[in-house]
Amino acid sequence: MATEFTPRVFSGIQPSGGLTLGNYLGAIKRFVDMQAAEFETIYCMVDLHAITVWQDPGDLRKNTRELCAGFIASGIDPEQSILFNQSQVPEHTQLAWIFNTVARMGWLNRMTQFKDKAGKNRENSSVGLFAYPALMAADILVYHATHVPVGDDQKQHVELTRDIAAKFNHDYGVDFFPITEPVIEGAATRVMSLRDGSKKMSKSDPSDMSRINMTDDADAIAQKIRKARTDPDALPSEADGLKDRAEARNLVNIYAALDDSTVDQVLTDVGGKQFSEFKPMLADLAVAKLSPISGEMARLMGEQAEIDKILARGAERAREVAAPVLKKTYEIVGMVS
Ligand code: TRP
């Protein structure tokens, strides 16, 4: 008989830069929705993942707190969900070590994110960047999480998590770790760069004009949307008409996601309009939806002690779940205690 696991959601975001519209629409907004469903929800600022590439310590601290403020301002309730930063829960790294002995070199060698991030500079990448997916598997499995909402680019890492769980269970003859399901975001919530519709909107893009930051004010949002790359054609009246128009599609996707409607519904209203008319509509909508969040974020960022207290309390609650799982793992592996 397969073990029944409690439906439990885990996901993480790296505090490696400011929070963008891409993080909000692609991740946090979905995390809020799952909080309302019949799951236990655990959301983590993965600071130990962030340092697999260089982070200035001051920036890392600021970005971790800003991310926490962003979660809360967007609707994550730190009472209902467990909200914390990874480094305060040592069970993650302890389980990651065990998983370093389970995962095979060949598995990690196939990870496309490592290849992309290391690029030609493989020999000079940190060992942590290579081992990153084993820590991610530990993040998930130290809570026996059953569901992980992630972007498409993280699907391979969740599959690796499943492989690690299955190999551990098989090698030790147990049915201890769940085989976690990835919950992949739809294309509609994948927000692309405002300068290049083939690239994901990213906090690490050198051009600030490529992204909307959750801390941008109304003028900055409007300017970035006005300058966003598009093509010269009018908007189509059906989604099909956006097929080979990555930048146009991105702006319509953003509109639909902010408006909680669908691309087809949006196009029913705006089909035939020029971008010169659509962009101000999008800017108004973005400002209306984002300014309450950025306002609340700014307020929270002024209450640093409050944020740190929330993170400490979240870490305490996280450890209550993680510690027994790690203890049992050590027992299974044969560690004397
Ligand atoms: N690798 C993820 C990203 O960069 C972040 C992450 C770390 C994560 N651990 C996780 C996501 C566990 C989901 C579950 O987006």
Side-chain angles (χ1 to χ4, degrees):
M1 256 295 279
T3 314
E4 285 287 333
F5 291 95
T6 311
R8 190 176 283 151
V9 167
F10 180 93
S11 198
I13 298 183
Q14 298 192 46
S16 52
L19 203 57
T20 70
L21 180 66
N23 300 126
Y24 174 64
L25 292 177
I28 298 179
K29 201 160 173 282
R30 300 166 66 224
F31 297 174
V32 175
D33 294 341
M34 295 187 102
Q35 182 181 245
E38 65 288 7
F39 290 108
E40 288 181 30
T41 41
I42 307 179
Y43 299 124
C44 184
M45 283 126 262
V46 288
D47 46 12
L48 296 168
H49 276 111
I51 59 165
T52 58
V53 298
W54 170 253
Q55 304 293 325
D56 172 83
D59 290 347
L60 182 61
R61 267 188 288 273
K62 173 172 176 286
N63 290 331
T64 302
R65 291 181 177 127
E66 186 183 305
L67 184 51
C68 181
F71 271 118
I72 295 169
S74 304
I76 298 293
D77 174 354
E79 294 299 320
Q80 197 175 343
S81 294
I82 297 180
L83 190 63
F84 70 106
N85 59 316
Q86 191 183 28
S87 57
Q88 289 204 64
V89 180
E91 285 78 6
H92 290 238
T93 34
Q94 291 175 293
L95 186 61
W97 180 260
I98 303 285
F99 288 169
N100 278 340
T101 72
V102 174
R104 305 288 96 181
M105 288 294 288
W107 298 2
L108 292 178
N109 266 324
R110 282 194 287 277
M111 294 295 114
T112 57
Q113 179 173 292
F114 175 73
K115 290 186 219 174
D116 291 345
K117 285 200 176 181
K120 288 195 209 75
N121 211 9
R122 206 185 143 97
E123 288 298 307
N124 199 33
S125 305
S126 72
V127 174
L129 188 64
F130 186 71
Y132 177 119
L135 177 59
M136 179 161 161
D139 296 340
I140 296 166
L141 293 173
V142 85
Y143 302 102
H144 279 184
T146 55
H147 295 81
V148 177
V150 278
D152 210 25
D153 61 324
Q154 294 298 315
K155 190 165 173 226
Q156 195 184 33
H157 288 158
V158 181
E159 276 158 10
L160 186 93
T161 301
R162 294 161 64 92
D163 290 342
I164 289 176
K167 182 165 165 57
F168 181 98
N169 288 345
H170 175 265
D171 289 355
Y172 291 101
V174 292
D175 185 13
F176 183 60
F177 287 115
I179 308 300
T180 307
E181 291 293 334
V183 185
I184 304 297
E185 73 185 55
T189 49
R190 195 172 318 132
V191 179
M192 311 307 282
S193 158
L194 299 178
R195 310 299 307 168
D196 176 352
S198 68
K199 284 202 318 212
K200 218 169 127 161
M201 182 178 284
S202 164
K203 47 198 164 199
S204 53
D205 193 301
S207 165
D208 193 57
M209 292 301 285
S210 71
R211 62 180 159 264
I212 292 174
N213 305 301
M214 294 305 284
T215 49
D216 282 347
D217 62 19
D219 286 346
I221 293 174
Q223 193 205 21
K224 286 173 179 183
I225 291 175
R226 192 168 59 240
K227 296 242 165 102
R229 199 163 133 193
T230 45
D231 55 49
D233 296 338
L235 283 153
S237 38
E238 281 159 28
D240 218 33
L242 292 170
K243 236 181 26 231
D244 300 311
R245 300 174 62 187
E247 282 86 14
R249 186 174 60 229
N250 186 38
L251 295 185
V252 177
N253 275 343
I254 292 173
Y255 192 103
L258 286 169
D259 195 39
D260 281 312
S261 61
T262 66
V263 167
D264 277 314
Q265 277 167 345
V266 174
L267 291 176
T268 306
D269 295 339
V270 303
K273 285 194 200 303
Q274 294 294 331
F275 277 98
S276 54
E277 204 178 333
F278 177 66
K279 281 177 165 180
M281 292 172 62
L282 177 58
D284 286 349
L285 178 65
V287 169
K289 294 281 178 173
L290 302 182
S291 58
I293 299 175
S294 59
E296 177 63 4
M297 275 176 76
R299 190 191 68 76
L300 285 164
M301 288 297 281
E303 308 277 339
Q304 193 173 298
E306 189 57 30
I307 291 188
D308 292 1
K309 212 167 86 192
I310 289 169
L311 289 174
R313 172 78 188 119
E316 207 177 292
R317 290 170 64 204
R319 291 194 79 175
E320 281 166 21
V321 186
V325 173
L326 182 75
K327 184 167 191 291
K328 181 76 187 158
T329 307
Y330 274 11
E331 263 168 48
I332 291 169
V333 171
M335 303 293 173
V336 175
S337 67

